[in-house]
Amino acid sequence: MGLRIVRVADAAAVARTAADLVVGSVARRPASFVAATGTTPMATYAELARRARRGAFDASSLHAFQLDEYVGVARSDRRSLTGWFDRSVVDPLGIDDDRAVRFDGLASDLDGACRRYDDAVARNPFDLAILGLGPNGHLGFNEPPSTADAPTRVVTLTPQSVRSNAAYWGSEADVPRRAVTAGMAQLLSARRVMLLVVGPHKREILRAVVDGPVTDDVPASHLQLHADAIVVADADALGPDPADRRR
């Protein structure tokens, strides 16, 4: 099928549409997915939690994988992405704790932790990757340049990523400079990849992703070559002109 664009009116419609796609993507059992944190996917997870509470979605048997984490940040830190993953995905969806695969930002052997993560992916291949779009085209913390076969690894954040995370941390000076991220190889191995994009500030980079050349300098552009990648974006992100691949 290749890269498809699903154009919706606004952020609320992105959440509803994405939730429908999540349910359809993990309908077979057992299933596995990797979940981004960050602002954009939160409404989707909240919608899935509402469906779970009313019995319309059962996530208890799913394997959920954390996408990334800052190096040197404890799980108990309110800014930890592990804690965010638990609060927004694992706990509200009722996923069994032993089916949640997390990163430890304080691990003494980060390279070993990355290998164990990839081993867990190999045992439970991703049926779905739920991703947001970084301002420089990164997926997770696969900062540019990132090749399509880049493994799960420790990375150094680019200045642009540091700036975009400053509000979350309080200031640029407080943002950790290193992170651990699921690799491009793991994300692109997912049976389906869903990229959620909201807001006019993402318009330029989204155009580069969907209409520009496939390049390591815009890691998300590798989705153009994926067999089943879906961009769910609002009108502000896509701009006033309908995309050719809209449905």
Side-chain angles (χ1 to χ4, degrees):
M1 287 182 283
L3 182 62
R4 292 181 287 155
I5 310 299
V6 179
R7 181 188 182 96
V8 298
D10 52 28
V14 168
R16 291 191 300 270
T17 301
D20 289 341
L21 288 167
V22 171
V23 173
S25 299
V26 299
R28 68 181 185 88
R29 296 292 189 272
S32 173
F33 70 102
V34 57
T37 47
T39 304
T40 301
M42 292 301 108
T44 298
Y45 303 144
E47 173 63 22
L48 290 170
R50 284 191 289 270
R51 297 184 189 193
R53 288 193 297 271
R54 67 173 187 260
F57 177 54
D58 180 9
S60 59
S61 65
L62 300 179
H63 287 87
F65 285 72
Q66 182 181 351
L67 178 61
D68 46 23
E69 178 59 287
Y70 300 105
V71 170
V73 178
R75 181 175 174 178
S76 58
D77 191 307
R78 65 177 178 80
R79 298 162 298 188
S80 162
L81 300 182
T82 308
W84 200 353
F85 172 68
D86 286 345
R87 292 189 300 271
S88 62
V89 179
V90 177
D91 296 339
L93 296 185
I95 295 171
D96 292 343
D97 191 67
D98 62 356
R99 293 176 180 268
V101 180
R102 304 173 177 89
F103 286 116
D104 179 2
L106 297 180
S108 58
D109 179 9
L110 287 169
D111 291 338
C114 290
R115 289 192 295 271
R116 289 189 293 275
Y117 183 97
D118 287 350
D119 288 344
V121 176
R123 292 191 299 272
N124 299 282
F126 295 150
D127 292 279
L128 176 66
I130 305 171
L131 305 175
L133 178 62
N136 57 9
H138 70 216
L139 299 176
F141 275 131
N142 287 282
E143 299 280 44
S146 282
T147 62
D149 60 355
T152 299
R153 66 204 186 283
V154 178
V155 298
T156 299
L157 301 190
T158 63
Q160 192 170 9
S161 290
V162 171
R163 286 194 299 273
S164 70
N165 282 277
Y168 179 62
W169 281 86
S171 72
E172 287 189 31
D174 293 325
V175 179
R177 268 31 183 193
R178 294 198 305 155
V180 60
T181 184
M184 289 292 293
Q186 284 66 40
L187 300 180
L188 295 174
S189 74
R191 183 167 59 86
R192 168 175 285 175
V193 178
M194 183 171 64
L195 184 67
L196 308 182
V197 190
V198 171
H201 61 294
K202 294 292 179 72
R203 188 178 300 172
E204 183 176 353
I205 189 61
L206 180 58
R207 285 178 177 168
V209 168
V210 302
D211 292 324
V214 176
T215 170
D216 297 345
D217 292 328
V218 182
S221 68
H222 289 288
L223 294 177
Q224 293 182 35
L225 304 180
H226 193 278
D228 187 4
I230 304 173
V231 175
V232 183
D234 69 356
D236 282 342
L238 284 169
D241 298 323
D244 291 340
R245 292 180 292 275
R246 185 180 64 173
R247 69 172 187 179

